[in-house]
Amino acid sequence: MSKVFSSLALGNLKSKNRFMMAPMENGLAEVGGEVSQRLIDFFAERARNEVSIIITGSIGISPEGRGLPTQLSIYDDKFVPGLKRLTDAIHNEGGKIGAQLYHAGRQASEAVTGIQPIAPTAMPCAILGNNPREMTSEDFADIKEKFKKGAERSIEAGFDLVEVHFAHGYLLHSFLSPHSNKRTDEYGGSLENRMRFPMEVLKEVIEVCRGKVPVTIRISADEYLEDGLKFNEVKYICRKAVEQGVEAISLTAGSYDAVEYTIQPMFVKQGFLIPFGKELKEEVDVPIIMAGRLNSAQLIDNIIEEGYADMVAIGRGLIADENLIVKMRDKRYDEIRYCVACNQGCIDKVLVGQSVNCLVNARAGYEVNRNVEKAEKVKKVVIIGAGPSGLEAARVAKLRGHDVTVVDKDNRIGGKLDILAAPPEKETFLFFRDYLFNEFIRLGVKFAQKEVKVAEDIKDLNPDAVIIATGAVQTVPPIKGVDGRNVVMAEDVLTGKVEVGKTAAIIGGGLVGTETAKFLGEKGVKIHIVEMIDAIAKDIGATYIGHLFKVLEEMKVEQHVKAKILEITEEGIILEDMMLPVDTVIIAAGYKSNDSIVEDIKENFSEVYTVGDVNRARRIIDAVEEGFNAACLL
């Protein structure tokens, strides 16, 4: 058995394996911070599936320090009974659970709390655009007391571990960082001064917890800011924390000002924290816990086997597949549904006040309501379309016991996943394609290659139920000259079906347009993006947009916003105010439903469902959810 399945001591807490569920906001608590049943169900399912230690998302120790409306709180005794229900549920499933205590500091918002945020320095958060005030001596005493009370309530609520948040630009980290701490008193300037308040807080928490539960810290190994906290200082901070009595150190990275390293999108390398963990292990004699895009069973094994860290902290990977650890234990590697690092269903949704979901796992956040149960009556099910929605419907329908046939005009599966994975830094979308293919083979789903134009085309399959998952096709805007020989579709560019000249104009600055720009820019093509609204990339998530603009700038992509196209000619595009001379014009102006067969199918079969973009062009996360739900209705 791999070492990752051996036990580990964190102080007086013994884990059953080396898997921790990383602290991550999920939007499942009640507005105001009370524990909800959905939150309990979410964590209990992970504990049931062999997660050794679950760390909650950040728990607010003070009203003005809460970052989100649906974030757990512990600043009042009234929260303890709900937290006790949570810890009891995890213990009943054989797991342990830790409370991550935090104050958002300059990354809190008055819009959420109704109270002006506090910070070491009155320096707004670049992302939130807020107005924090500088902390006073009274604030220091107040916050220390609140962290202390938070630790006391954590023990009362039955938590097995208390983690103090020293990361991600929140209050304690913002003191440590020279980027956000510009104080000139004893709490600013030198590292010793910047450490002073976080260490005073840590000391209070350790004194409460000593002999009862272990205390850990989570700290950003690198803030990834030019004037931010760097690893050389972090190593010193960690040594001092261990001297105080910290029993383990959990490594992460970034802050809101470098948010892409906090919740890493596809462009951040898998296991990017490994070098930091290796080096820190030589500095301290307590366990090192490592996170950071650990979406490979081999990578996870190697981290523990090679001694790069003592434990792995997995967040999104356990949202994507609640059975990840069980599948690794049983060596069912082809069945693992890996996180693709899209951030669409987790962080992007949570940041706008919604609850967690997942592009590859429609059950995430709906652990009780969405279960795959055996069907009362076995049916012949025909699914038209082998894209993500159709394949997810086929997977779930087959698991429920139905006789399932997928029909597609192409002799391949995956739909637009290959196109999504074509641009630079997007190849991990193929993880989901490969998972769906492996399940297709493992479960014995049948396949028929044929183009379905009318209901008659599937009558020979004699279906009891039909699921239409025919997706969407690119729209062609009504522009004079759009049918010219130099006009091509973005999908054909990304699949290599067409050649592009040395210069190109992309009509449409959304997800497809900007990714096509990256795809061609990497090949040396001079790109213009033409967008009719006031900005490009309006549909791009917060953890990715900054990097996207940086790449487009490096590629010298020119943006033309609020642009009205008068005509496309062989020489290029004529705008109201200028002419863009280009070799190729690329259409990336959105999608429309490919629904031409829907009415005929509905007229000829009694049980028909439509899923995914055939209903309305959206994202894969919506398509997968609809495929899952339709299969559960069969």
Side-chain angles (χ1 to χ4, degrees):
M1 183 67 74
S2 166
K3 189 177 178 182
V4 77
F5 290 98
S6 64
S7 63
L8 177 70
L10 282 68
N12 61 6
L13 174 62
K14 192 171 183 180
S15 70
K16 63 182 175 183
N17 58 43
R18 304 296 182 95
F19 290 93
M20 173 180 281
M21 185 161 191
M24 187 171 172
E25 300 310 323
N26 52 49
L28 294 172
E30 302 288 357
V31 173
E34 291 275 8
V35 170
S36 70
Q37 189 58 46
R38 279 186 73 191
L39 181 77
I40 292 173
D41 295 337
F42 174 80
F43 282 132
E45 174 122 347
R46 274 77 192 165
R48 189 178 308 126
N49 284 288
E50 299 301 316
V51 177
S52 180
I53 302 173
I54 289 168
I55 307 293
T56 62
S58 306
I59 305 182
I61 55 93
S62 187
E64 79 287 341
R66 299 177 66 247
L68 294 167
T70 53
Q71 194 167 41
L72 287 172
S73 293
I74 202 166
Y75 60 81
D76 191 281
D77 290 341
K78 70 179 181 180
F79 296 109
V80 173
L83 293 167
K84 184 69 165 61
R85 285 196 300 119
L86 172 61
T87 61
D88 284 347
I90 301 308
H91 294 152
N92 289 340
E93 297 295 349
K96 305 292 185 182
I97 184 167
Q100 188 188 63
L101 303 183
Y102 106 127
H103 188 294
R106 66 187 283 268
Q107 293 174 176
S109 168
E110 193 169 348
V112 171
T113 66
I115 309 168
Q116 185 179 18
I118 58 173
T121 304
M123 179 180 171
C125 170
I127 287 182
L128 297 174
N130 55 3
N131 181 36
R133 65 174 176 81
E134 184 171 298
M135 287 178 63
T136 65
S137 57
E138 290 80 9
D139 294 320
F140 286 122
D142 180 53
I143 295 302
K144 281 192 286 187
E145 179 65 20
K146 285 178 175 176
F147 267 100
K148 178 181 176 182
K149 294 297 292 184
E152 290 173 353
R153 292 185 183 110
S154 297
I155 293 169
E156 185 183 351
F159 284 98
D160 305 290
L161 176 153
V162 171
E163 181 166 274
V164 182
H165 208 325
F166 269 37
H168 299 165
Y170 297 125
L171 184 65
L172 301 184
H173 185 253
S174 68
F175 270 91
L176 297 171
S177 170
H179 171 74
S180 46
N181 185 348
K182 308 296 184 184
R183 298 179 75 98
T184 57
D185 61 6
E186 68 271 29
Y187 291 103
S190 68
L191 177 58
E192 291 288 350
N193 282 355
R194 286 183 275 122
M195 287 172 54
R196 193 180 308 278
F197 178 62
M199 287 300 178
E200 288 173 356
V201 168
L202 184 60
K203 181 181 179 182
E204 294 282 354
V205 172
I206 288 172
E207 286 182 358
V208 168
C209 298
R210 197 182 304 277
K212 299 171 184 173
V213 300
V215 175
T216 66
I217 59 168
R218 193 161 208 230
I219 190 165
S220 293
D222 192 319
E223 199 173 359
Y224 287 94
L225 294 171
E226 189 174 339
D227 62 344
L229 187 65
K230 300 299 182 184
F231 188 48
N232 281 338
E233 291 191 326
V234 169
K235 288 188 293 184
Y236 182 78
I237 295 165
C238 290
R239 289 198 300 269
K240 291 300 180 182
V242 172
E243 289 175 12
Q244 288 259 36
V246 159
E247 303 281 11
I249 295 167
S250 181
L251 279 185
T252 179
S255 64
Y256 278 22
D257 296 304
V259 71
E260 63 269 27
Y261 290 98
T262 299
I263 308 288
Q264 307 86 27
M266 297 176 183
F267 65 84
V268 176
K269 182 182 177 183
Q270 292 173 253
F272 77 107
L273 288 173
I274 287 175
F276 298 105
K278 288 171 62 177
E279 194 169 335
L280 186 59
K281 275 183 66 64
E282 297 174 1
E283 300 280 337
V284 297
D285 59 357
V286 297
I288 303 301
I289 303 161
M290 184 180 293
R293 286 205 68 203
L294 307 183
N295 51 353
S296 158
Q298 184 178 5
L299 176 63
I300 291 166
D301 265 334
N302 285 347
I303 286 170
I304 303 303
E305 291 292 339
E306 299 297 328
Y308 302 147
D310 302 286
M311 193 170 221
V312 290
I314 301 173
R316 290 172 297 172
L318 286 165
I319 296 173
D321 195 336
E322 60 274 24
N323 296 302
L324 169 68
I325 299 167
V326 173
K327 290 175 182 177
M328 280 188 62
R329 181 195 65 195
D330 298 341
K331 296 182 169 53
R332 291 155 45 203
Y333 301 119
D334 287 346
E335 295 178 40
I336 297 174
R337 186 172 48 226
Y338 286 116
C339 166
V340 299
C342 69
N343 286 349
Q344 292 177 21
C346 49
I347 193 66
D348 286 352
K349 283 201 169 189
V350 171
L351 286 178
V352 296
Q354 299 178 29
S355 59
V356 72
N357 196 216
C358 181
L359 181 146
V360 303
N361 183 10
R363 288 193 66 242
Y366 299 90
E367 282 68 23
V368 169
N369 300 328
R370 294 180 181 173
N371 283 305
V372 179
E373 298 172 347
K374 286 295 181 182
E376 293 182 7
K377 177 185 176 184
V378 174
K379 299 176 182 178
K380 281 189 175 182
V381 180
V382 170
I383 299 170
I384 307 170
S389 60
L391 292 174
E392 177 68 355
R395 182 186 74 86
V396 175
K398 188 68 178 177
L399 285 171
R400 297 192 64 219
H402 295 301
D403 181 353
V404 182
T405 301
V406 172
V407 180
D408 198 281
K409 69 180 186 299
D410 296 319
N411 188 26
R412 64 177 183 84
I413 69 168
K416 290 184 170 58
L417 284 170
D418 285 341
I419 296 170
L420 277 172
E425 305 170 330
K426 289 300 184 81
E427 63 276 4
T428 52
F429 272 121
L430 297 180
F431 288 173
F432 190 39
R433 182 204 63 183
D434 294 346
Y435 164 77
L436 291 170
F437 176 77
N438 291 338
E439 288 296 278
F440 189 94
I441 299 301
R442 182 178 74 87
L443 297 171
V445 176
K446 290 178 279 190
F447 182 79
Q449 184 184 2
K450 64 164 67 179
E451 185 173 5
V452 180
K453 295 181 178 179
V454 293
E456 186 68 29
D457 293 333
I458 59 169
K459 282 196 172 175
D460 61 314
L461 297 172
N462 194 27
D464 300 307
V466 179
I467 297 176
I468 304 172
T470 45
V473 294
Q474 282 197 262
T475 56
V476 179
I479 300 169
K480 184 179 179 182
V482 77
D483 55 352
R485 290 182 301 174
N486 61 332
V487 181
V488 299
M489 305 303 287
E491 285 193 1
D492 292 335
V493 173
L494 293 170
T495 55
K497 289 181 180 178
V498 298
E499 293 293 326
V500 174
K502 294 181 179 179
T503 59
I506 300 172
I507 299 177
L511 180 64
V512 175
T514 53
E515 290 299 329
T516 305
K518 281 175 55 187
F519 178 79
L520 292 173
E522 192 177 64
K523 299 175 185 297
V525 178
K526 171 60 182 175
I527 300 294
H528 299 264
I529 296 178
V530 181
E531 173 57 63
M532 63 185 294
I533 62 175
D534 61 355
I536 69 167
K538 287 267 186 148
D539 52 352
I540 308 296
T543 58
Y544 187 70
I545 192 166
H547 174 73
L548 172 66
F549 279 119
K550 180 183 177 183
V551 170
L552 295 181
E553 183 180 355
E554 290 171 353
M555 291 178 171
K556 295 182 169 55
V557 173
E558 294 189 29
Q559 301 175 30
H560 308 269
V561 298
K562 295 184 180 179
K564 183 177 181 182
I565 302 171
L566 301 181
E567 184 179 357
I568 300 171
T569 70
E570 290 185 3
E571 289 73 37
I573 293 182
I574 301 174
L575 304 178
E576 270 189 322
D577 57 350
M578 67 184 299
M579 163 74 178
L580 291 179
V582 293
D583 300 322
T584 310
V585 177
I586 301 166
I587 305 298
Y591 284 81
K592 63 179 180 179
S593 297
N594 183 22
D595 59 1
S596 60
I597 65 170
V598 171
E599 290 308 314
D600 189 33
I601 298 289
K602 286 183 174 180
E603 287 174 5
N604 283 274
F605 299 97
S606 59
E607 188 176 357
V608 178
Y609 304 90
T610 56
V611 298
D613 284 358
V614 71
N615 291 322
R616 180 168 57 87
R618 290 153 296 158
R619 290 193 167 192
I620 291 177
I621 188 170
D622 307 299
V624 172
E625 182 177 40
E626 289 179 6
F628 181 97
N629 288 336
C632 288
L633 294 173
L634 292 167

